[in-house]
Amino acid sequence: MKVYTSRGEVPVNEKWNLEDIYSDLTKWENDLQVVEEMAAKLKGFDGAIQDGKSLYEYLKQREELSYKFNHVYAYSMLRVDEDTRDANSQSLLERAKGLSVKVSASTSFFMPFLLGLEKETLNSYMLEEKGLKYFEEDLFESFRYKDHVLTKDQEEVLSQLGEALSAPSTTFGMINNADIKFGEITNDNNEKVQLTRGMYSKLIEDEDREKRREAYKAYYKPYVELKNSIASTLSAAIKNNVTLARIRKYPSALEKGLFGDMVPKEVYENLITATKENIAPLHRYSELRKQKLQLDELRQYDMSVPLVQGVKQVIPYEEAYETMMKALAPLGEEYITILREFKDARYIDVRETPGKRSGAYNLGIYGVHPFILLNHQDDLDSLFTLAHECGHGVHSKLSSQHQPQITARYSIFVAEVASTVNEVLLINYLLEHEGNSDVRKHLLNHFIDQFKGTFFTQVMFAEFEKITHKLAEKGTPLNVEIFNQTYEALFREYNGDVVVFDDEVKFGWSRIPHFYRPFYVYKYATGFAAAIHLATKILEGDNETLQAYLNFLRSGSCDYPLELLKKTGVDLTTPVPIENAMKKFGELVEEFSSL
């Protein structure tokens, strides 16, 4: 595989085309200016909205501002991500961030104003001004929060406390990203070197068990040493969340977390209960792992090593793209045409180059098209990442085409459905077209491990959040001991008795940044389960499900997430989708076992 030493070496057709947003910098500068003027104008509406006409005028101008501002911000962000070292791009992004502060300040008066209105007053405005029909759902959606919004003065105090309340998360981020120093490991030249995260993700999959053990111990070393500091930041984050839920009159912190997506707490509880009732195949997989690795004891540092060695495939980008299109053919001609356009019209930035942002993402820009960032490595993981991000990309494209700006963006709750459906169709295609039994085993192992990480691990995290928030609500002090006990008990329950515990296992809670964004991880698991259900039906040739799924991709956020999924035949208020996903996992483990 070619290693690129600069962006200039990458073929043009493998770089995204940012001229689709702005053909030159003058146009960006011009829009930046225009947004600034529009923000100043919006500020003038504070205290001046007296009737339907002025309310409509404000909302219309705010939407126009939002459209332009998104273009300004996205362009500067994408420029920086091409090369994070480039000072010119950094300066554009800094200016866009400064503009973002002005935009927020100019519209901050509106929510308290709106929630201060009586419903009758808002209804009379609606009758008075026909243009408000377009904003109606949004306006009345805001009213759902009325019981949880405080007086203007109290809201002002809370907003000023914002930075203090986010301090636990900021502190953990600093510890985890800036200050943490991992232990030492022995490199190939028999020298002691300090472990990095990048090295760890490779070493924990190494065939040499002693290397895995050494990396595991070195990785956990700082977390164990800093256990009291990290426990105090996590404890404070949980207590802050519980206190805010109380202040805002939510029945519990969990229900506060689910309120925005209008998800009843039964969905969260169903997910945990149905997973635990069907956990046997996961325990069976741990047994298989122990047998396959021929170990007397299976430990946590044995959980990530691939079980099939010597089958590393080289899959060049062109071939990966063709394979993906063949695998996704069951989604129909329109879907495949869009994918072809992604490649031909340069929506994708493919190659890893010095300074480029790591990882992968999709960014949909309303009025332009999606942009996809990859760091393609010509391997199996990169093929799956390509299919995953293109799932998000097509979702963005179809929602933007079929929805007005106000409902074009989809919620995080449904986002992972589109990406995971693609991954399930891809693994199915690869298994169907692979004759080599070692490669088949490798593919199955890859998908089982992914299923485990995206589903079971996230459900375990979700249960940890639920338990620790409940303890805080009862006034139980949260400390290292409580976190260790809770995490260890859950780890045992989910992974089975076959795993022999090193002391580090119980400190797993101390390294998870998602715990500082409470009640979020469960969405990975529900999205994954919904995708498994839909992909299975589509592969069975169920045309009704296929059409419903394509409509779902066109729907943006025109309804609440659970309702959008119900229209595809997935009802997450029942345990059925979770049970189906568990059944699928059981089948994968059985097939792997028989091979």
Side-chain angles (χ1 to χ4, degrees):
M1 190 188 93
K2 180 168 167 50
V3 174
Y4 294 93
T5 57
S6 76
R7 192 166 172 81
E9 293 176 13
V10 180
V12 170
N13 63 331
E14 291 189 355
K15 292 190 278 199
W16 57 29
N17 181 15
L18 298 188
E19 287 187 7
D20 289 352
I21 317 175
Y22 291 108
S23 55
D24 61 58
L25 210 47
T26 320
K27 292 187 169 138
W28 183 87
E29 290 283 359
N30 187 42
D31 268 7
L32 184 93
Q33 207 58 51
V34 170
V35 173
E36 206 159 309
E37 288 158 15
M38 289 170 92
K41 217 171 147 194
L42 276 187
K43 222 176 169 59
F45 280 93
D46 188 1
I49 301 176
Q50 310 287 357
D51 53 18
K53 189 172 183 300
S54 49
L55 175 60
Y56 173 66
E57 212 38 60
Y58 168 78
L59 292 170
K60 186 168 71 117
Q61 286 183 34
R62 188 179 71 176
E63 189 175 76
E64 285 164 13
L65 177 147
S66 166
Y67 180 85
K68 273 203 188 312
F69 172 72
N70 288 340
H71 288 203
V72 167
Y73 196 91
Y75 180 80
S76 59
M77 185 187 105
L78 296 171
R79 280 267 308 248
V80 165
D81 289 352
E82 289 178 352
D83 185 352
T84 55
R85 305 164 308 178
D86 183 79
N88 292 332
S89 301
Q90 286 169 9
S91 130
L92 296 185
L93 185 58
E94 281 312 309
R95 290 170 66 200
K97 283 179 176 172
L99 183 62
S100 156
V101 173
K102 289 179 184 171
V103 169
S104 294
S106 71
T107 56
S108 63
F109 76 90
F110 184 70
M111 199 51 136
F113 156 77
L114 181 65
L115 296 178
L117 287 180
E118 292 302 322
K119 248 187 182 159
E120 293 68 41
T121 310
L122 184 56
N123 277 323
S124 72
Y125 288 176
M126 304 294 300
L127 291 170
E128 208 176 290
E129 174 55 66
K130 290 200 168 33
L132 283 172
K133 186 85 190 132
Y134 173 78
F135 297 102
E136 183 174 16
E137 274 188 32
D138 236 35
L139 291 167
F140 282 106
E141 163 64 14
S142 303
F143 265 87
R144 268 209 314 130
Y145 288 85
K146 195 161 177 143
D147 292 343
H148 308 295
V149 171
L150 311 172
T151 65
K152 196 174 175 180
D153 292 347
Q154 289 169 323
E155 284 293 344
E156 182 63 34
V157 171
L158 263 191
S159 75
Q160 286 178 19
L161 284 172
E163 210 172 320
L165 291 169
S166 64
S169 170
T170 310
T171 305
F172 176 74
M174 282 298 177
I175 292 172
N176 203 34
N177 298 316
D179 296 342
I180 212 152
K181 294 279 180 283
F182 297 108
E184 290 189 329
I185 53 151
T186 315
N187 70 8
D188 294 339
N189 302 327
N190 225 14
E191 301 159 338
K192 287 285 182 194
V193 293
Q194 197 185 351
L195 180 75
T196 65
R197 268 184 225 282
M199 287 156 71
Y200 179 70
S201 61
K202 286 190 171 62
L203 286 169
I204 201 66
E205 294 181 358
D206 201 286
E207 288 178 43
D208 182 336
R209 192 173 193 226
E210 186 43 44
K211 277 189 176 175
R212 296 200 302 270
R213 194 191 76 82
E214 191 185 33
Y216 175 76
K217 298 283 179 191
Y219 179 72
Y220 270 92
K221 186 172 179 270
Y223 291 109
V224 176
E225 285 170 354
L226 295 165
K227 59 186 184 234
N228 292 306
S229 303
I230 298 176
S232 76
T233 60
L234 183 56
S235 169
I238 292 169
K239 285 178 192 159
N240 282 355
N241 198 36
V242 164
T243 305
L244 277 176
R246 242 176 232 145
I247 290 172
R248 292 203 177 280
K249 303 186 181 71
Y250 287 97
S252 66
L254 173 61
E255 281 154 289
K256 172 180 168 282
L258 304 178
F259 188 82
D261 285 322
M262 212 153 106
V263 170
K265 73 175 194 293
E266 289 71 41
V267 169
Y268 200 93
E269 282 155 2
N270 261 341
L271 173 67
I272 293 169
T273 309
T275 302
K276 285 161 82 163
E277 283 170 358
N278 296 276
I279 202 89
L282 185 58
H283 295 174
R284 163 99 175 99
Y285 180 56
S286 294
E287 293 278 2
L288 267 175
R289 183 169 268 286
K290 182 182 171 187
Q291 286 166 25
K292 183 84 180 119
L293 294 171
Q294 299 176 337
L295 296 172
D296 296 333
E297 295 177 339
L298 182 73
R299 292 181 177 265
Q300 199 187 356
Y301 48 79
D302 303 315
M303 303 295 263
S304 301
V305 59
L307 298 179
V308 187
Q309 302 297 343
V311 287
K312 204 164 164 55
Q313 296 159 282
V314 176
I315 311 166
Y317 179 67
E318 292 293 327
E319 187 190 321
Y321 214 94
E322 285 309 308
T323 303
M324 172 182 73
M325 294 216 288
K326 287 174 189 161
L328 302 183
L331 296 174
E333 197 44 53
E334 181 192 10
Y335 200 99
I336 299 304
T337 305
I338 291 172
L339 286 182
R340 205 167 282 121
E341 181 189 348
F342 277 19
K343 186 162 178 278
D344 297 346
R346 297 173 49 204
Y347 294 5
I348 308 176
D349 207 76
V350 181
R351 298 291 167 191
E352 183 176 28
T353 48
K356 183 174 169 180
R357 176 176 160 159
S358 61
Y361 65 70
N362 159 73
L363 178 72
I365 304 176
Y366 192 79
V368 188
H369 58 69
F371 287 84
I372 292 173
L373 177 129
L374 303 173
N375 281 277
H376 198 82
Q377 299 296 333
D378 290 357
D379 58 13
L380 186 66
D381 278 340
S382 290
L383 168 57
F384 272 92
T385 301
L386 174 67
H388 181 103
E389 296 306 335
C390 283
H392 288 312
V394 177
H395 195 180
S396 296
K397 174 110 180 147
L398 287 172
S399 284
S400 287
Q401 275 178 350
H402 293 270
Q403 295 296 321
Q405 187 181 340
I406 200 165
T407 52
R409 285 183 66 158
Y410 45 82
S411 82
I412 297 287
F413 190 95
V414 297
E416 292 308 315
V417 177
S419 50
T420 309
V421 162
N422 281 10
E423 293 196 51
V424 180
L425 294 178
L426 176 61
I427 191 75
N428 183 76
Y429 175 84
L430 293 174
L431 287 167
E432 250 181 30
H433 292 82
E434 185 50 70
N436 180 316
S437 74
D438 277 349
V439 178
R440 282 182 64 78
K441 277 189 277 192
H442 176 59
L443 288 167
L444 272 170
N445 181 205
H446 182 278
F447 195 60
I448 288 169
D449 282 341
Q450 193 195 4
F451 201 132
K452 188 182 165 192
T454 313
F455 188 85
F456 291 102
T457 303
Q458 306 307 324
V459 177
M460 182 180 88
F461 288 169
E463 189 170 5
F464 179 83
E465 288 186 297
K466 185 181 165 217
I467 292 168
T468 50
H469 276 79
K470 266 205 167 136
L471 290 170
E473 281 165 346
K474 284 185 197 154
T476 308
L478 298 176
N479 51 36
V480 173
E481 215 159 284
I482 294 284
F483 289 142
N484 280 356
Q485 283 168 7
T486 307
Y487 195 88
E488 184 172 357
L490 288 171
F491 195 92
R492 282 190 189 282
E493 203 175 347
Y494 280 78
N495 289 282
D497 294 332
V498 70
V499 186
V500 175
F501 272 41
D502 287 84
D503 199 46
E504 288 86 353
V505 171
K506 61 177 179 278
F507 291 98
W509 56 269
S510 64
R511 57 182 188 86
I512 311 296
H514 279 100
F515 289 157
Y516 296 83
R517 190 178 176 182
F519 305 116
Y520 171 83
V521 292
Y522 86 100
K523 298 177 188 184
Y524 290 120
T526 50
F528 197 83
I532 293 278
H533 175 92
L534 289 164
T536 306
K537 290 274 191 201
I538 290 164
L539 287 167
E540 286 166 359
D542 181 335
N543 193 48
E544 201 177 314
T545 298
L546 173 61
Q547 295 314 318
Y549 175 63
L550 293 171
N551 277 333
F552 161 81
L553 296 180
R554 298 177 187 118
S555 299
S557 58
C558 69
D559 206 339
Y560 291 113
L562 287 180
E563 296 309 311
L564 288 173
L565 283 170
K566 273 182 191 168
K567 290 170 192 167
T568 69
V570 176
D571 186 354
L572 285 165
T573 59
T574 75
V576 175
I578 311 301
E579 287 164 359
N580 286 346
M582 299 293 89
K583 185 164 164 270
K584 178 73 179 167
F585 184 77
E587 287 165 6
L588 289 166
V589 171
E590 273 320 302
E591 189 180 346
F592 185 68
S593 163
S594 68
L595 283 169

